[in-house]
Amino acid sequence: MTFPRIFLSTAVAVLAYSGIAQAGTIENLERERAIMVETLLAPNITAEERQAKIANYQRRLVDLERMTLRDKSLEGDTKPVVRKAFENYDLTFLVHAAVEKNATIVDHWLEQIGISTHSLMSARMGRR
C-alpha cells in the first residue's frame, strides 16, 4: 500500500468511528440568539434589511425557546451553562420575555444589558 492509500484508509476509519458532536437545545438557542444580536448591532445593513432579518430570527428563536423550555433532559441538570441560562431568563428566552413585557426585542435586550434609549441617544461618538 502506498502512503496516500494508507492515509486515506486511516482517515476514513477515524471518521467512521468518531462520535458525532451534537449541540443541545440551549447551545442551539444561544447560537441563534447571538446571530440575531449581531444583526441588531450590524452597522453595514439598512433598517429594512435589519427588520427583515430580525423577523426571520424571531420566528426561529420562538421555536428554539419553546424546545428549550420543554426539554426534559434539562430538568435537574446542574451544568453551569444550564443554570446560568435559567437564572438569566430575560436574556436567554429573549423573545418570550420581550412579549411578556410588551416590548420590542431590541428594547428589551438593551434594557437587560443596562442601556436605555435616553443614554443611547445622548451618547456621542468619539475616540478613546
Side-chain angles (χ1 to χ4, degrees):
M1 255 188 196
T2 63
F3 176 73
R5 286 185 96 177
I6 293 172
F7 178 74
L8 183 59
S9 301
T10 305
V12 169
V14 168
L15 289 174
Y17 292 110
S18 67
I20 298 172
Q22 194 171 34
T25 54
I26 288 182
E27 291 83 3
N28 288 333
L29 172 62
E30 294 210 2
R31 184 183 61 248
E32 286 296 322
R33 190 184 64 232
I35 292 169
M36 188 187 70
V37 169
E38 184 179 28
T39 302
L40 291 174
L41 301 174
N44 58 345
I45 61 175
T46 66
E48 294 81 22
E49 288 175 319
R50 180 176 287 116
Q51 199 62 26
K53 287 182 178 188
I54 289 172
N56 187 28
Y57 292 132
Q58 184 175 355
R59 285 189 294 275
R60 290 198 329 228
L61 276 173
V62 165
D63 291 339
L64 287 170
E65 288 177 5
R66 286 180 184 157
M67 288 168 50
T68 302
L69 287 168
R70 294 176 182 159
D71 189 350
K72 299 290 184 202
S73 69
L74 297 176
E75 289 179 15
D77 195 335
T78 59
K79 290 180 193 164
V81 69
V82 175
R83 281 189 318 211
K84 197 84 159 160
F86 285 99
E87 286 171 3
N88 296 314
Y89 175 87
D90 285 340
L91 286 173
T92 302
F93 303 100
L94 192 60
V95 177
H96 279 82
V99 169
E100 289 170 4
K101 293 191 176 177
N102 199 25
T104 65
I105 295 173
V106 177
D107 290 337
H108 178 71
W109 181 74
L110 288 172
E111 178 187 325
Q112 291 303 308
I113 62 168
I115 299 175
S116 67
T117 304
H118 176 63
S119 67
L120 191 61
M121 297 308 280
S122 64
R124 42 188 185 103
M125 190 180 255
R127 260 186 151 176
R128 283 195 160 190

